[in-house]
Amino acid sequence: GENVEQHPSTLSVQEGDSAVIKCTYSDSASNYFPWYKQELGKRPQLIIDIRSNVGEKKDQRIAVTLNKTAKHFSLHITETQPEDSAVYFCAASIENTGNQFYFGTGTSLTVIP
Amino acid sequence: GAVVSQHPSRVICKSGTSVKIECRSLDFQATTMFWYRQFPKKSLMLMATSNEGSKATYEQGVEKDKFLINHASLTLSTLTVTSAHPEDSSFYICSASGRDEQFFGPGTRLTVL
């Protein structure tokens, strides 16, 4: 089965700096890679996703890159703000197969004002 | 995005009792729902995949007789923790599968005394 690894497990950055979280996956059949943000005690919320037919996607301060050959994808947050502090999870799945997601272990991001 | 509700949000029970958690997709029909367990500051651990009208598929290491899952309709799946023990205390989250995104419920905090 799919195995998703995520690094780092914790990350602290100064407000305004960039944050990068990296994930690797093992199953070359995976073709959908969402990123979720989870605040303490709340549900995970989708913040951005990417499919295997593109290499990069951007939405305002958030971007995701995908390297299919190396089987890794990364989340980039620029101009970080305190409200970006949360736990971020990457996931990998194969579309149209019941959408089972394999989650990474999570990154706890702290943005220091 | 779609709305998924969970009930109850918090439950405290005595050891040996059973607890039922409901997961509802409020504005779309979900043929597949997922049940996750999350420990503090840890990732989402998939417990089982629930398909409407059929038996749930459990992940390795998850006792199907301990965690009973019923998906009787396209909008409702239930997880029953039978004969709960303190080690079952956790945050349980369901999700409903859309076209390619998973929509998460708000979670249920279970505390077994």
Side-chain angles (χ1 to χ4, degrees), chain A residues 33-49:
Chain A
F33 308 93
W35 285 88
Y36 285 85
K37 174 183 180 182
Q38 187 181 27
E39 297 178 7
L40 189 63
K42 297 188 177 180
R43 76 185 82 193
Q45 298 273 14
L46 179 71
I47 55 172
I48 195 167
D49 56 13

Side-chain angles (χ1 to χ4, degrees), chain A residues 15-81:
Chain A
E15 183 177 358
D17 288 350
S18 296
V20 180
I21 303 170
K22 298 181 179 181
C23 287
T24 61
Y25 62 100
S26 61
D27 189 348
S28 57
S30 292
N31 56 9
Y32 177 66
F33 308 93
W35 285 88
Y36 285 85
K37 174 183 180 182
Q38 187 181 27
E39 297 178 7
L40 189 63
K42 297 188 177 180
R43 76 185 82 193
Q45 298 273 14
L46 179 71
I47 55 172
I48 195 167
D49 56 13
I50 190 168
R51 290 176 171 79
S52 59
N53 58 344
V54 298
E56 184 174 359
K57 183 176 179 181
K58 189 173 183 180
D59 182 5
Q60 299 183 340
R61 297 187 296 109
I62 297 174
V64 58
T65 58
L66 170 66
N67 183 327
K68 284 193 300 181
T69 304
K71 297 198 193 70
H72 67 71
F73 55 112
S74 300
L75 177 71
H76 305 252
I77 306 174
T78 58
E79 300 172 29
T80 53
Q81 300 168 3

Side-chain angles (χ1 to χ4, degrees), chain B residues 30-102:
Chain B
T31 54
T32 304
M33 289 185 174
F34 301 92
W35 286 95
Y36 296 88
R37 183 173 180 175
Q38 188 175 34
F39 293 101
K41 298 184 180 180
K42 297 293 183 183
S43 188
L44 296 154
M45 184 192 79
L46 180 65
M47 299 175 65
T49 302
S50 168
N51 293 297
E52 186 266 337
S54 62
K55 290 184 178 181
T57 302
Y58 289 82
E59 295 298 302
Q60 191 173 8
V62 179
E63 299 177 60
K64 62 179 180 180
D65 295 329
K66 170 78 172 176
F67 299 99
L68 300 178
I69 291 172
N70 183 278
H71 192 160
S73 77
L74 288 172
T75 59
L76 173 64
S77 177
T78 61
L79 167 68
T80 302
V81 182
T82 62
S83 186
H85 288 91
E87 56 265 32
D88 298 325
S89 298
S90 193
F91 193 54
Y92 293 87
I93 304 179
C94 69
S95 71
S97 178
R99 189 176 78 87
D100 45 37
E101 183 180 346
Q102 282 194 27

